[in-house]
Amino acid sequence: MDRKFEDLPCSAKLVLKVIEMKGKTTFKELKEETLLPDRTLREAIKILKERGAIRSKICLEDTRTRYYEMSCLELTDELEKVEKEKG
């Protein structure tokens, strides 16, 4: 697996796992699922977007809302490999 995903902070890994399990997710849903503070959650999302793990899309019903989703399906398989290697 690419090293850019192995050294993610715990908060980013948690956010990534929630998005992986739920699929398309809003900030509010991520906040409810992860129980992370707003600032920590925003930073985790920023890191994941910069590394290409997730992407955001604007909700057409409410343009203030964004959806977050995995940017590629191959990433899910790679994350599972890393989890197995670590124990």
Side-chain angles (χ1 to χ4, degrees):
M1 171 161 190
D2 195 344
R3 291 229 177 251
K4 66 182 179 180
F5 297 114
E6 287 181 356
D7 64 342
L8 287 174
C10 293
S11 58
K13 288 178 184 177
L14 176 61
V15 170
L16 193 57
K17 195 65 174 171
V18 170
I19 293 173
E20 178 186 1
M21 291 182 341
K22 291 189 68 122
K24 190 163 65 169
T25 311
T26 64
F27 185 88
K28 183 179 178 182
E29 291 170 334
L30 284 171
K31 184 167 173 59
E32 290 170 0
E33 288 288 326
T34 63
L35 302 175
L36 293 171
D38 286 358
R39 185 175 181 180
T40 305
L41 183 55
R42 283 191 188 97
E43 183 65 23
I45 289 170
K46 177 184 167 196
I47 291 168
L48 292 170
K49 286 173 70 176
E50 286 174 350
R51 296 188 185 198
I54 63 172
R55 62 180 170 209
S56 64
K57 292 186 175 184
I58 296 173
C59 175
L60 297 177
E61 291 91 32
D62 181 2
T63 56
R64 297 171 294 177
T65 303
R66 293 192 175 273
Y67 287 109
Y68 300 97
E69 61 187 7
M70 301 289 284
S71 59
C72 64
L73 296 176
E74 295 84 26
L75 181 59
T76 303
D77 296 334
E78 302 252 351
L79 289 172
E80 288 175 4
K81 288 178 190 175
V82 168
E83 288 177 6
K84 287 178 184 176
E85 289 173 4
K86 289 187 178 180

